[in-house]
Amino acid sequence: MDVEKYLRITGLIKIGSYPDIIISAKKEKCISVSPQTIFYINDDCIVLGDAGFRERGMLLGLSILLVPVVIAICSFFGYYMFSVKAHVAFSFIVLFVLFLSHPYFLGAWIEITRVPVSPVVFNRRTGKVYFISDKDHQPKQRPWTDCLYAVAYKGRSIVACQYELRGFLMDGHRVDDSFSFGDTVLEMKEAPKNEIFYLFYYIQSFMEYDDEFEASSKLISWRPSLAESARHTIPRLITDNSSVNFLSTVFYRTMCVFFSWQILGHYLICRYGKIPQWSQEIIDECGEDIVLK
């Protein structure tokens, strides 16, 4: 059984496989947003995380939460059930709970066996983009101009739609391979996708030596502490307004309690997961600094 395909059908894993909104090669004048998942940047290269980095570990966190719930249910009913009929009913309850929770365990297994992040390197000196393939999960490289860049629909949250930037390798009208980069952006379905467009224009200005490009000083760690994992999974709004900052802090700390399982899952996956491996050829072209440590 193809576990990943099965989980896509159940709705637990959503991947934007098709270009929904193709981004024009012509850059707009305003570049106002830089990606939040920049791991490293120098004069030649910029290393980004994939769009699912912030969500990595969510299924592991859910599984960690489900295990004590299942044990508690089993212990509670087992304590009060002593007859043969009661034990039969109890067995069916346990099997039913495990059946409902098994997709989360399968998803957690995929997260554990895969690398925590699929980094993407944009090298303006060589004019290439280096990425981990969604097709076979191996490192690949392509000329920057050979990829089709588009906004892909990723899924829905409670209040909005999720979109991500993807690079597509096309074979005619068929998608041969793809990779995501930058951040997952929440937008209403009918709203203009300006924010996610600006993420692409930021990369475009870097690759084309644009005078408007300003290197971001805000970098993140792919081996975060528990506090950093909280900031990764629950972005905090910082403004010049003290009242807004206070409300944002209250909201942030409240969400940390409710989403502690996701923060823990993200921390464990990133802290103890496998290190993404680049081929020696790619390291020679881009330098040792692209290797996440």
Side-chain angles (χ1 to χ4, degrees):
M1 182 181 70
D2 187 336
V3 175
E4 191 165 351
K5 184 177 180 181
Y6 169 74
L7 291 176
R8 286 195 197 128
I9 293 173
T10 59
L12 288 174
I13 292 182
K14 298 181 178 67
I15 294 179
S17 301
Y18 302 98
D20 294 306
I21 305 172
I22 298 174
I23 301 176
S24 172
K26 183 179 180 181
K27 179 180 68 62
E28 291 188 2
K29 293 181 180 180
C30 179
I31 302 173
S32 59
V33 179
S34 62
Q36 299 296 310
T37 53
I38 300 178
F39 296 120
Y40 175 78
I41 186 170
N42 64 10
D43 291 338
D44 294 329
C45 297
I46 181 170
V47 183
L48 295 176
D50 60 288
F53 174 68
R54 293 183 184 277
E55 303 159 13
R56 203 79 84 241
M58 182 174 64
L59 296 177
L60 176 62
L62 278 172
S63 299
I64 294 173
L65 177 68
L66 284 171
V67 169
V69 169
V70 172
I71 293 175
I73 291 174
C74 295
S75 301
F76 177 79
F77 283 98
Y79 181 79
Y80 291 101
M81 293 182 179
F82 299 99
S83 66
V84 175
K85 291 182 178 180
H87 279 294
V88 172
F90 170 67
S91 300
F92 276 108
I93 291 173
V94 172
L95 291 175
F96 181 70
V97 172
L98 291 175
F99 172 75
L100 292 179
S101 58
H102 82 276
Y104 298 101
F105 294 118
L106 291 175
W109 176 251
I110 289 178
E111 288 184 328
I112 292 171
T113 55
R114 297 268 179 86
V115 293
V117 60
S118 296
V120 180
V121 180
F122 293 91
N123 188 324
R124 62 183 178 184
R125 179 175 55 82
T126 62
K128 293 181 179 179
V129 55
Y130 308 84
F131 58 93
I132 307 296
S133 167
D134 281 344
K135 187 176 182 180
D136 56 14
H137 308 291
Q138 297 300 313
K140 292 184 179 180
Q141 55 179 300
R142 288 291 186 278
W144 153 259
T145 54
D146 283 3
C147 300
L148 174 69
Y149 299 98
V151 176
Y153 174 79
K154 188 176 181 181
R156 279 195 71 90
S157 69
I158 298 175
V159 296
C161 296
Q162 296 176 326
Y163 294 94
E164 64 182 12
L165 280 176
R166 296 192 74 84
F168 294 90
L169 279 64
M170 306 299 293
D171 182 7
H173 295 287
R174 184 176 65 87
V175 175
D176 184 56
D177 203 351
S178 68
F179 59 94
S180 70
F181 59 96
D183 310 314
T184 297
V185 175
L186 294 177
E187 297 274 8
M188 299 306 294
K189 193 169 185 179
E190 64 279 1
K193 308 300 182 289
N194 291 338
E195 183 179 352
I196 197 166
F197 284 168
Y198 289 144
L199 295 178
F200 173 75
Y201 296 142
Y202 183 88
I203 302 300
Q204 186 185 47
S205 64
F206 173 81
M207 291 298 290
E208 298 177 1
Y209 295 88
D210 198 302
D211 293 336
E212 296 180 18
F213 176 80
E214 294 183 7
S216 174
S217 59
K218 186 178 180 181
L219 306 180
I220 67 171
S221 170
W222 84 284
R223 293 289 201 194
S225 64
L226 201 58
E228 288 174 327
S229 286
R231 289 193 291 270
H232 288 179
T233 55
I234 309 173
R236 184 179 171 187
L237 179 64
I238 302 295
T239 68
D240 296 330
N241 189 313
S242 58
S243 299
V244 173
N245 289 340
F246 173 76
L247 293 174
S248 175
T249 300
V250 173
F251 176 79
Y252 170 77
R253 297 192 182 280
T254 304
M255 290 299 101
C256 283
V257 174
F258 286 105
F259 292 92
S260 57
W261 51 271
Q262 184 176 350
I263 296 170
L264 178 62
H266 185 273
Y267 170 78
L268 293 175
I269 284 289
C270 295
R271 195 72 177 175
Y272 302 105
K274 299 178 182 178
I275 298 176
Q277 299 293 325
W278 293 112
S279 66
Q280 189 59 48
E281 178 187 2
I282 293 176
I283 294 175
D284 291 340
E285 288 191 10
C286 300
E288 294 283 347
D289 291 328
I290 69 166
V291 180
L292 301 179
K293 299 176 182 179

